[in-house]
Amino acid sequence: AQKITQTQPGMFVQEKEAVTLDCTYDTSDQSYGLFWYKQPSSGEMIFLIYQGSYDEQNATEGRYSLNFQKARKSANLVISASQLGDSAMYFCAMREEFQGAQKLVFGQGTRLTINP
Amino acid sequence: GAGVSQTPSNKVTEKGKYVELRCDPISGHTALYWYRQSLGQGPEFLIYFQGTGAADDSGLPNDRFFAVRPEGSVSTLKIQRTERGDSAVYLCASTNQGDTEAFFGQGTRLTVV
């Protein structure tokens, strides 16, 4: 079974600093996808970034980048130049493909607080 | 609609009562997923629909939970004889073939008292 581990329950960062949120994963599949979602207090899950297991380049989306280290089974999220609006819960997830379904297996999340 | 819509946004019910939670996916999305997010946890998969059929219901915790999607669009998650342990946020997501990511609604916060 697939498993996602996020070891940082909470992170506090000064505005404009960069922050790295840790994520390690466990799977026996050769083909898989890794995601980061942001969940503000409103509750919806907002997609941030995706990394496929066969992608050779680390994924980037604006201020977000994914530091993918396949041998270490880690997929850390890096947010550059943090903003107050980045304060939220952040979830790392792995896509599990089974009979056409693309189920997501989530970690426990990291609560990020950006201080002014 | 523009996004995934879930109603109600909040539901308080008494232990033992029956509840229905509704999800209206993005128009045209063929796949629909239900997840449950307990306090302080990440979402956990409950059930997946491809069209009208439940293709994978392996995440439903017991037979008190049931979901339908009769016309391949709106889905209803039904919980019978609710228990306090059912209190959680129930999230719905939809995707279309070729999509990388799943699109989530804002969830229904269910509180069983």
Side-chain angles (χ1 to χ4, degrees):
Chain A
Q2 298 182 333
K3 185 178 179 181
I4 296 287
T5 302
Q6 293 181 254
T7 57
Q8 305 155 311
M11 289 279 286
F12 295 84
V13 174
Q14 286 298 118
E15 190 180 7
K16 300 181 184 177
E17 289 184 352
V19 56
T20 298
L21 304 182
D22 295 341
C23 171
T24 58
Y25 60 91
D26 190 18
T27 182
S28 56
D29 294 340
Q30 295 301 310
S31 176
Y32 50 89
L34 295 158
F35 298 78
W36 278 92
Y37 278 85
K38 173 183 178 181
Q39 187 177 43
S41 56
S42 58
E44 68 185 297
M45 302 289 281
I46 301 169
F47 167 75
L48 296 178
I49 196 165
Y50 166 79
Q51 180 86 39
S53 58
Y54 292 117
D55 294 340
E56 294 186 353
Q57 301 283 338
N58 284 344
T60 60
E61 288 286 349
R63 293 186 300 112
Y64 305 107
S65 60
L66 199 153
N67 184 2
F68 181 47
Q69 298 189 39
K70 196 170 182 177
R72 298 179 61 182
K73 293 190 174 180
S74 75
N76 297 341
L77 176 70
V78 180
I79 306 174
S80 63
S82 58
Q83 303 171 354
L84 296 178
D86 294 334
S87 294
M89 284 292 293
Y90 288 79
F91 291 95
C92 180
M94 172 178 285
R95 181 170 59 203
E96 181 178 272
E97 299 191 24
F98 179 71
Q99 294 182 354
Q102 296 191 10
K103 302 188 292 188
L104 293 173
V105 176
F106 287 87
Q108 289 195 310
T110 296
R111 181 172 297 281
L112 176 64
T113 302
I114 307 298
N115 295 315
Chain B
V4 178
S5 175
Q6 291 188 246
T7 54
S9 54
N10 281 283
K11 176 73 177 178
V12 180
T13 190
E14 292 181 346
K15 180 176 177 295
K17 298 289 189 183
Y18 167 82
V19 296
E20 291 188 349
L21 312 180
R22 177 188 166 107
C23 172
D24 198 342
I26 293 173
S27 178
H29 278 194
T30 55
L32 185 146
Y33 303 79
W34 284 98
Y35 290 83
R36 179 168 73 172
Q37 185 175 18
S38 299
L39 191 63
Q41 304 293 318
E44 294 179 312
F45 171 80
L46 294 177
I47 187 169
Y48 153 66
F49 288 90
Q50 182 61 253
T52 61
D56 182 357
D57 64 358
S58 60
L60 294 178
N62 52 59
D63 61 6
R64 296 187 297 105
F65 287 75
F66 189 71
V68 295
R69 195 186 185 199
E71 298 178 358
S73 55
V74 172
S75 175
T76 305
L77 178 65
K78 307 181 181 194
I79 310 174
Q80 297 179 322
R81 304 184 303 281
T82 51
E83 300 177 357
R84 292 195 179 89
D86 299 335
S87 296
V89 174
Y90 290 82
L91 293 165
C92 177
S94 69
T95 66
N96 212 2
Q97 197 165 2
D99 285 341
T100 297
E101 74 271 28
F103 298 86
F104 283 82
Q106 289 190 317
T108 293
R109 181 176 298 278
L110 175 67
T111 304
V112 182
V113 296

